[in-house]
Each structure stands twice: as structure tokens, then as C-alpha cells.
């Protein structure tokens, strides 16, 4: 059953959304996004409205407010049930209230109850969140603003399967979009590319470390706005220190400095030349009905299933001789080409290629759990590390259950995921790779598909990294509290971000260092980065990291009660 999204009343009638304004601020690898949504009730009666919209799966919501008439509403973070009860109480007493909740099944779906809007009344809603930008195969940092959140398939019998929320087709959206971005980096900004027309990049200083970008005039919000940012010397590790807020208490997260370390391990040539030529490669292809939709709204002749087929065919033709492989496809049910993984040979690959070319989006819903359970039930082949590649548009409603299963089996395989088409669920695609110790890619067009595919395969063929440790060297009197989860996987050219809260002061030195150590292919390796403990007076990197450092904390449930302006 489909759980569709859009702006509706509780009677499933559409409510006009007049305009959206989005301000993007990118500081090195972290983005702060401020969205302002403007509504107006054009009915002759009051309406209670709901807006369901997407956020990146790892985003941290840091501000939510609304202005309705002469009243401002500022959000408070509360337990979900308490927030719902206060929202209902506010409405029943005739007060204005908003309620923002993260979906229990998929952390990139937020539903916002806009409350009761009087006839002709307008509402302006401001939502701010922080997220890390994913690194692409060509070293670019990807930001995506989905035009319309894709319908999510709810497996039969699951909670929420009866929820019906209708959407406005992206090509018919009745509102306007204003989008602009400010970019700040320790390194020069080389260029910015987009799936949409942009005005020329405007640099704000001579060393080109600060710039602005915005959509060209006349843009219609009929497709995802994908922006890819390129820095000079992209693989150079960096460390940025943000000073604590003067108004916050020293010793607290907001009061102490926070350092963000970006590491790109440089593997020795001797290690890179000894990549594995073996392995068990299991491919899982989404053949649900939604995969028959266009890959993007610009090239509507290209469907998601045809792009997934092309991606899989390229991978199959690139596998090393002597490895093992199998191909599963799924919808409401699942199929496999071979009863169990077979050795890669001329005969087996020809049979597989023929069957892949015949695959269509004709298997119904998106039931991904059962094929995953079947794959994990198969015994691993000795000395053939299992690598799982998943191709899906991510239209599932039980994301959390899927990720829990992958995490449970993370010790027996690595998982590489491909989000096919615009609007693919970032929570599912990134979550599969994160929990499975692999890497995620998004295929939204044919232009960047080949380098992304080859990069993921190269990652899969790299020897497993073991005994990963992060060691801090700080002067006497200074200590660090690491706020990031442990690094579980390292690939050549893949970024790892580490956040640390710095406490104390030192009169001896103003510099610290962090060293990443690991063992790969039996060889010890390390990468070291030195950084200043005192943030520069004007680096342009003076906000956002404190909030980003808190991103492992999830479950923001925002509820607010009215407060008069002033």
C-alpha cells in the first residue's frame, strides 16, 4: 500500500502552498538548510492541514518556528506522546499550534501538522536543519532538495499501512521556489554543478574560498534540485575548529570549542596493487512498480528500471574472474537467477546478462525484507568475502526494520547501495551502506553513472581494513571528548568526519594532532593531521558544527504553543 505525501487537510483536501524559500549554507563538508514555507487557506472555513516532506536521513533539526497572523510559534523538543497531547489540547481550546514529527519507520520522512488555519489566513513556517554532504565518485559534495517526496510502500500488515496522504505531481506544483546558497571552505571552491540552471558562481574573496550560488530565473520546481560542489585538493585532510558560544556555559557542548576533522586515507601503492580478485558478489534488484517511473523529470524516456539494469550490467561485466556471484530481484515477492552463488565464468555470466536485460518493473510492491533474510540465511563461501549490492528507488515504509536487519548481519558482509532516480530515500540508501560498512551512491542521470559504479566496485575489491583507531595528541591541559560514532570502514578516497569537543586550555602550545591508524592487507598504515586549537578570527566557518556534532541523536519531535510576538 502506498503512503503518499503532500499538503492536505484531515479530509484529504489539498491546501495551497504559496511559496518555498530555501537558504543553503555549506561550511566545508557540512550544510545548514533553512526552509521557509508560506501557506494560505483560501477556503471559506477553517482547515486543519498536514504537510509531509523529506529531510536527509541523518539530518539534525535545530530550529522550527512559524508566524500565523500576529503570533509567533517557537518549537520545543518534547516526548512524542506528550507533544501530541499538547497539540490536541491547544486545538480543542481554540489555540494555534503546530506539530512536527519524524516517522517511526523512516527517519527521512517528517510530517508537520499545521493546525487550524482560519479562512484567508496565511502561515509562514521556518525549518532549519544541519546535515553532512555525501562525497561523490568524482570528489564532488552532493546536496539534493527533493521536489516531491516519493510515495513510500508500506508492506502488508505493517503499522501505518492504512495511512493515505495524497501528493501534488511535481510537474503541476502550484507554488514557487527561491533557492540560494553560500559556500565557505578552507580550500578554494573550483566549481558548482547542478541538475538545474544556475546563475554564474559569484566569489566573495580573492582566494575563492567563499562564494554564492542561486537558481537561474524562471526555474520551475518540477524536478529535484541537485547541487554538486567541487573543492581544490579535495582529498587533502582538513580540521576546522569552531569557538564555543560566549553565552553558553564553559564545559558544555555549546560553550566549548568543537573540532571537525575530515580524513581521506592515503593507502600505500603496495596495498592498492593487492586488491582482492575474489569475493562473493550478491546483487539485489528492485523490480517494484515504482521502478517503472522516469529516472528524472528532465529525461522522462529513461526509467529507473532501465538505469538500474545498465548499472548492474556494467558491474557484472567488471567482476574479476574466479569470484562468485548471484542476482536477486524483488517486488511483492522475490526471485533469484541461481539457487546459490556460482563461480564467475563465460557460461554463467552470459546466462546472467541475458536475464538481467529482460528484467522489468513488474513485481508489484517493495518487499525488501524477505529477500534480504534469504540472502543472509545462505552460508558464506570460505575465503570469498560477501559483498551485497542493492539497487532501489527506496520507496519503502519500513526503513528502520530493514536497516536493523543489515546491521545485525554486518559481520558477515559489506553492503553497497545505489539510490535509483530522483527522490530516492537518503535514509534507506545511506543507512544500508552505513550499517553494512559499505558505500552509497545516487544515480539520478546517465552522466555520472559509470564513475560511480566503478568506484563502488573498486571499494568492494579493496582488502578489509582492521583494527581502526583514532589517536589524539593534545598539549597538557587540553582534552577531547569524541562526539562521533567509531569509524567502522575505510576506503581509498572516502571521507570520514570526526567531531570532538575540546576542553581546557594550554599555555604551552596552540596546536594538536589526530592520527588514524589501521591494518590493511596485513600492513599497518596511518594518516596524521595537525590543526590549530584556536579558531581563526574570520574563517567563515563559525557556526553549524556544534549542532552537527549532535547528529547521532535522533527522534526530534517538535511541538509548540502560541506566544505573542514581542
Amino acid at each position: 500500500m502506498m503512503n503518499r505525501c503532500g499538503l492536505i487537510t484531515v479530509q484529504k483536501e489539498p491546501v495551497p502552498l504559496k511559496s518555498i524559500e530555501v537558504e543553503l549554507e555549506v561550511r566545508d563538508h557540512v550544510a545548514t538548510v533553512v526552509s521557509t514555507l508560506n501557506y494560505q487557506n483560501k477556503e471559506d472555513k477553517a482547515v486543519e492541514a498536514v504537510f509531509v516532506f523529506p529531510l536527509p536521513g541523518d539530518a539534525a533539526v535545530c530550529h522550527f518556528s512559524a508566524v500565523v497572523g500576529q503570533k509567533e510559534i517557537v518549537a520545543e523538543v518534547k516526548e512524542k506522546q506528550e507533544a501530541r497531547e499538547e497539540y490536541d489540547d491547544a486545538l480543542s481550546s481554540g489555540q494555534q499550534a503546530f506539530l512536527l514529527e519524524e516517522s517511526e519507520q523512516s527517519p527521512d520522512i517528517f510530517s508537520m501538522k499545521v493546525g487550524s488555519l482560519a479562512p484567508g489566513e496565511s502561515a509562514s513556517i521556518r525549518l532549519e536543519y544541519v546535515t553532512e554532504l555525501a562525497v561523490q565518485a568524482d570528489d564532488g559534495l552532493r546536496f539534493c532538495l527533493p521536489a516531491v517526496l516519493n510515495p513510500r510502500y508500506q508492506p502488508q500488515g505493517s503499522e501505518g499501512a492504512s495511512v493515505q496522504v495524497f501528493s501534488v505531481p511535481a510537474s503541476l506544483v502550484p507554488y514557487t521556489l527561491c533557492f540560494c546558497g553560500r559556500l565557505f571552505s578552507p580550500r578554494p571552491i573550483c566549481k558548482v554543478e547542478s541538475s538545474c540552471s544556475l546563475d554564474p558562481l559569484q566569489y566573495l574573496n580573492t582566494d575563492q574560498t567563499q562564494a554564492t550560488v542561486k537558481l537561474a530565473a524562471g526555474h520551475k520546481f518540477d524536478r529535484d534540485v541537485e547541487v554538486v560542489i567541487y573543492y581544490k585538493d579535495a582529498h587533502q585532510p582538513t580540521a576546522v575548529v569552531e569557538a564555543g558560544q560566549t553565552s553558553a556555559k564553559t564545559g558544555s557542548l555549546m560553550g566549548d570549542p568543537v573540532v571537525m576533522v575530515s580524513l581521506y586515507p592515503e593507502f600505500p601503492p603496495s596495498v592498492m596493487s593487492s586488491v582482492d580478485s575474489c569475493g562473493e558478489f550478491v546483487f539485489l534488484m528492485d523490480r517494484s512498480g515504482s521502478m517503472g517511473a522516469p529516472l528524472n523529470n528532465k529525461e522522462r524516456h529513461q526509467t529507473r528500471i532501465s538505469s538500474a539494469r545498465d548499472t548492474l550490467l556494467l558491474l557484472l561485466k567488471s567482476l574479476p574472474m574466479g569470484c562468485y556471484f548471484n542476482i536477486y530481484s524483488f517486488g511483492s515477492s522475490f526471485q533469484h537467477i541461481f539457487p546459490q552463488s556460482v563461480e564467475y565464468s563465460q557460461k554463467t555470466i552470459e546466462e546472467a546478462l541475458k536475464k538481467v536485460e529482460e528484467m522489468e518493473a513488474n513485481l508489484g510492491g517493495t518487499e525488501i525484507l524477505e529477500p534480504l533474510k534469504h540472502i543472509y540465511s545462505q552460508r558464506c563461501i570460505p575465503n570469498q568475502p560477501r559483498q551485497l549490492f542493492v539497487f532501489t528507488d527506496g520507496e519503502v515504509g519500513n526503513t528502520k526494520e530493514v536497516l536493523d536487519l543489515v546491521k545485525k548481519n554486518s559481520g558477515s558482509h559489506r553492503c553497497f547501495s545505489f539510490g535509483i532516480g530522483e527522490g530516492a530515500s537518503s535514509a534507506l540508501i545511506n543507512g544500508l551502506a552505513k550499517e553494512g560498512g559499505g558505500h552509497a551512491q545516487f544515480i539520478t542521470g546517465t552522466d555520472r553513472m559509470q564513475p560511480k559504479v566503478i568506484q563502488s566496485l573498486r571499494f568492494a575489491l579493496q582488502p578489509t581494513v582492521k583494527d581502526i583507531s583514532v589517536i589524539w595528541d593534545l598539549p597538557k591541559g587540553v582534552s577531547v571528548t569524541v562526539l562521533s560514532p567509531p569509524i567502522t570502514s575505510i576506503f581509498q578516497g572516502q571521507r570520514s568526519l570526526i567531531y570532538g569537543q575540546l576542553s581546557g586550555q594550554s599555555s604551552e602550545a596552540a596546536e594538536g594532532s589526530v592520527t588514524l591508524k589501521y591494518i590493511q592487507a596485513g600492513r599497518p598504515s596511518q594518516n596524521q593531521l595537525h590543526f590549530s586549537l584556536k579558531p581563526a578570527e574570520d574563517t567563515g566557518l563559525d557556526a553549524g558544527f556544534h549542532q552537527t556534532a549532535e547528529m547521532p541523536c535522533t527522534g526530534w519531535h517538535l511541538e509548540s504553543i502560541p506566544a505573542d510576538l514581542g
Side-chain angles (χ1 to χ4, degrees):
M1 182 174 294
M2 303 302 288
N3 181 7
R4 304 197 174 193
C5 303
L7 182 68
I8 62 162
T9 68
V10 290
Q11 290 79 28
K12 300 183 175 62
E13 296 292 335
V15 175
L17 172 63
K18 293 173 59 179
S19 63
I20 300 177
E21 301 169 13
V22 178
E23 298 177 29
L24 170 69
E25 190 172 274
V26 177
R27 300 181 181 275
D28 202 16
H29 290 258
V30 173
T32 300
V33 185
V34 180
S35 298
T36 303
L37 301 95
N38 300 301
Y39 307 93
Q40 184 177 23
N41 176 20
K42 295 184 178 181
E43 301 292 327
D44 56 4
K45 59 184 178 180
V47 297
E48 183 182 352
V50 179
F51 189 57
V52 184
F53 62 102
L55 289 179
D58 60 354
V61 177
C62 50
H63 178 81
F64 173 73
S65 62
V67 176
V68 182
Q70 295 299 310
K71 291 183 178 181
E72 181 182 32
I73 300 170
V74 180
E76 298 175 5
V77 181
K78 297 193 174 184
E79 292 294 331
K80 176 175 286 189
Q81 187 58 39
E82 180 186 1
R84 288 174 176 171
E85 290 174 357
E86 291 194 19
Y87 171 80
D88 291 338
D89 291 343
L91 287 190
S92 63
S93 63
Q95 292 180 304
Q96 179 66 56
F98 287 56
L99 177 67
L100 175 67
E101 293 183 296
E102 176 186 297
S103 167
E104 294 179 350
Q105 291 296 324
S106 185
D108 67 339
I109 300 176
F110 278 72
S111 65
M112 180 166 59
K113 292 185 178 180
V114 189
S116 180
L117 295 180
E121 190 169 44
S122 296
S124 179
I125 297 168
R126 180 183 174 92
L127 174 71
E128 180 177 344
Y129 66 88
V130 182
T131 187
E132 296 174 355
L133 298 181
V135 180
Q136 302 299 285
D138 57 1
D139 302 332
L141 297 176
R142 178 181 184 266
F143 169 79
C144 184
L145 180 68
V148 171
L149 182 59
N150 284 345
R152 295 293 167 80
Y153 181 77
Q154 294 283 358
Q156 293 298 322
S158 65
E159 283 189 40
S162 61
V163 176
Q164 287 285 340
V165 185
F166 297 96
S167 65
V168 178
S171 59
L172 301 176
V173 288
Y175 49 84
T176 59
L177 168 70
C178 177
F179 175 86
C180 62
R182 294 180 296 167
L183 315 177
F184 304 88
S185 171
R187 301 174 296 269
I189 303 162
C190 295
K191 61 179 179 177
V192 176
E193 295 182 349
S194 176
S195 58
C196 306
S197 297
L198 299 175
D199 284 346
L201 189 67
Q202 298 290 322
Y203 290 106
L204 302 178
N205 56 2
T206 55
D207 58 6
Q208 299 186 342
T209 59
Q210 301 180 22
T212 61
V213 62
K214 66 178 181 178
L215 284 174
H219 173 78
K220 293 184 178 180
F221 201 10
D222 58 350
R223 59 185 178 273
D224 289 359
V225 178
E226 184 182 46
V227 177
V228 184
I229 305 162
Y230 296 87
Y231 296 145
K232 183 180 180 181
D233 299 326
H235 290 281
Q236 285 295 108
T238 61
V240 179
V241 179
E242 177 187 291
Q245 297 180 1
T246 55
S247 59
K249 182 180 178 181
T250 302
S252 67
L253 175 59
M254 301 306 292
D256 284 342
V258 169
V259 57
M260 183 187 77
V261 179
S262 170
L263 293 173
Y264 284 82
E266 294 286 340
F267 294 164
S270 58
V271 172
M272 294 306 298
S273 63
S274 64
V275 295
D276 290 334
S277 60
C278 60
E280 179 194 12
F281 296 85
V282 181
F283 302 96
L284 182 57
M285 169 73 81
D286 186 346
R287 290 176 57 191
S288 61
S290 61
M291 290 289 286
L295 183 65
N296 57 56
N297 281 304
K298 186 177 181 181
E299 302 170 294
R300 300 189 65 85
H301 62 281
Q302 177 85 351
T303 62
R304 298 175 186 177
I305 188 66
S306 63
S307 175
R309 278 199 310 263
D310 292 343
T311 305
L312 177 53
L313 290 170
L314 180 57
L315 274 169
L316 287 172
K317 294 175 182 179
S318 304
L319 291 179
M321 296 298 291
C323 72
Y324 287 75
F325 77 103
N326 201 356
I327 302 169
Y328 289 74
S329 58
F330 69 95
S332 298
S333 58
F334 70 90
Q335 304 172 358
H336 43 70
I337 292 181
F338 305 107
Q340 57 189 24
S341 294
V342 297
E343 188 172 355
Y344 187 95
S345 66
Q346 191 68 31
K347 179 181 178 181
T348 57
I349 191 58
E350 286 180 357
E351 181 179 352
L353 292 174
K354 181 179 179 181
K355 291 187 177 181
V356 170
E357 290 171 349
E358 297 171 352
M359 287 183 175
E360 298 292 343
N362 56 2
L363 292 186
T366 315
E367 302 276 7
I368 192 174
L369 267 179
E370 292 308 312
L372 280 174
K373 290 178 181 178
H374 180 82
I375 291 170
Y376 293 141
S377 71
Q378 304 296 301
R379 295 184 61 183
C380 293
I381 302 173
N383 301 316
Q384 302 286 343
R386 177 173 289 173
Q387 317 282 358
L388 174 63
F389 288 76
V390 180
F391 307 84
T392 178
D393 57 10
E395 297 189 3
V396 302
N398 58 342
T399 299
K400 186 177 185 302
E401 196 174 356
V402 172
L403 299 184
D404 286 345
L405 180 63
V406 174
K407 182 177 182 179
K408 180 181 177 181
N409 292 274
S410 60
S412 63
H413 78 304
R414 285 192 289 185
C415 183
F416 298 83
S417 53
F418 290 86
I420 308 296
E422 290 186 340
S425 167
S426 63
L428 179 65
I429 306 306
N430 289 327
L432 286 170
K434 179 180 179 181
E435 300 298 352
H439 189 63
Q441 303 277 19
F442 290 85
I443 308 294
T444 57
T446 57
D447 53 339
R448 299 190 187 97
M449 183 182 73
Q450 184 166 345
K452 292 180 178 181
V453 171
I454 298 304
Q455 183 193 48
S456 287
L457 181 59
R458 188 172 69 246
F459 285 168
L461 291 172
Q462 288 178 16
T464 302
V465 174
K466 300 179 180 179
D467 298 335
I468 303 171
S469 63
V470 178
I471 301 170
W472 297 81
D473 184 11
L474 301 171
K476 185 177 180 180
V478 179
S479 61
V480 62
T481 301
V482 179
L483 305 171
S484 305
I487 300 174
T488 57
S489 61
I490 300 176
F491 298 113
Q492 173 76 23
Q494 184 179 17
R495 175 207 64 197
S496 295
L497 293 182
I498 305 171
Y499 299 92
Q501 176 184 353
L502 299 172
S503 303
Q505 294 182 345
S506 172
S507 57
E508 299 178 0
E511 186 178 82
S513 70
V514 60
T515 303
L516 181 68
K517 293 186 176 182
Y518 50 90
I519 295 178
Q520 185 184 48
R523 300 179 177 88
S525 299
Q526 71 176 43
N527 297 101
Q528 187 177 52
L529 176 65
H530 294 269
F531 58 90
S532 172
L533 292 174
K534 297 181 179 179
E537 292 183 2
D538 184 17
T539 62
L541 299 167
D542 55 1
F545 295 146
H546 283 84
Q547 293 145 332
T548 312
E550 293 184 293
M551 285 200 296
C553 301
T554 59
W556 286 80
H557 307 298
L558 307 185
E559 194 275 341
S560 57
I561 55 179
D564 289 335
L565 286 171

